[in-house]
Amino acid sequence: MCGNNMSAPLPAIVPAARKATAAVIFLHGLGDTGHGWSEALAGIKSPHVKYICPHAPVMPVSLNMNMAMPSWFDIIGLSPDSQEDEAGIKQAAENVKALIDQEVKNGIPSNRIILGGFSQGGALSLYTALTTHQKLAGVVALSCWLPLRASFPQGPISGVNKEIAVLQCHGDCDPLVPLMFGSLTVEKLKSMVNPANVTFRTYSGMMHSSCIEEMMDIKQFIDKHLPPVD
């Protein structure tokens, strides 16, 4: 990790119960840490999977009157045409790619790694998966959007992840990242990767949060795309 991440604490990790042959890297939302999601993932864990929940660096966030808080990149506004922190998003994606490389060095091939995240973390996981040269097993994108969507070419992406499996989830009562953002994002994703591999689930009454039903869908997705190898 480089730059402003030097002071970030080590990720919250749920180790595999036996030898780790797969990993899930999961990115929390704005103002949060990796601890809450590591606990949630511990509740659905599989014995051969390692779960890594890094903590975002603390930085001033324009949206919150420049208050400093854990954030993967700056957020300037929450409307579809808000200005975006392009340099920050690209740097954050490089930091996530470095985390993936670290797991590859640890002996887990990138195609046995699922990248996921919630809200701002979900946005970063989508952007990273669509721009990395590392072949991934899948992406879990919760209550989020695709950042820098205008920077992607029209039509399918080239590269190693054009067949990637995507599970996108959203609550239909989300007041922060409206369901419309999720619906627009899934349409864009289906134009970029094989639409047959994109699943969009919505949860009735769910706000900007998670629920048991969603966690079960995530578990099913992880179990399907990261099966045991031994």
Side-chain angles (χ1 to χ4, degrees), residues 1 5 11 13 31 33 43 47 100 107 133 159 170 180 203 208-209:
M1 308 296 261
N5 248 1
I13 289 177
T33 68
I100 296 166
H133 300 302
H170 221 108
M180 181 193 78
Y203 304 90
H208 196 62
S209 62

Side-chain angles (χ1 to χ4, degrees), residues 92-176:
E94 290 307 315
N95 292 345
V96 176
K97 292 170 192 175
L99 275 177
I100 296 166
D101 283 340
Q102 187 55 53
E103 288 316 302
V104 173
K105 285 194 187 88
N106 291 342
I108 296 174
S110 67
N111 66 354
R112 295 276 297 161
I113 296 174
I114 284 177
L115 190 55
F118 173 78
S119 193
Q120 189 196 31
L124 179 55
S125 68
L126 278 179
Y127 181 81
T128 304
L130 294 170
T131 56
T132 183
H133 300 302
Q134 301 149 316
K135 186 170 171 60
L136 298 170
V139 186
V140 175
L142 310 182
S143 308
C144 68
W145 67 95
L146 176 63
L148 303 179
R149 65 190 183 285
S151 69
F152 290 100
Q154 289 301 312
I157 58 166
S158 56
V160 293
N161 287 319
K162 58 180 183 282
E163 293 290 330
I164 196 166
V166 180
L167 173 63
Q168 198 188 329
C169 303
H170 221 108
D172 68 358
C173 293
D174 191 328
L176 278 181

Side-chain angles (χ1 to χ4, degrees), residues 53-85:
C53 298
H55 310 294
V58 172
M59 64 174 76
V61 175
S62 301
L63 181 72
N64 291 347
M65 299 179 300
N66 278 330
M67 272 172 37
M69 62 188 63
S71 185
W72 300 107
F73 49 85
D74 192 20
I75 295 188
I76 297 141
L78 281 181
S79 71
D81 51 359
S82 294
Q83 189 190 342
E84 294 183 277
D85 173 17

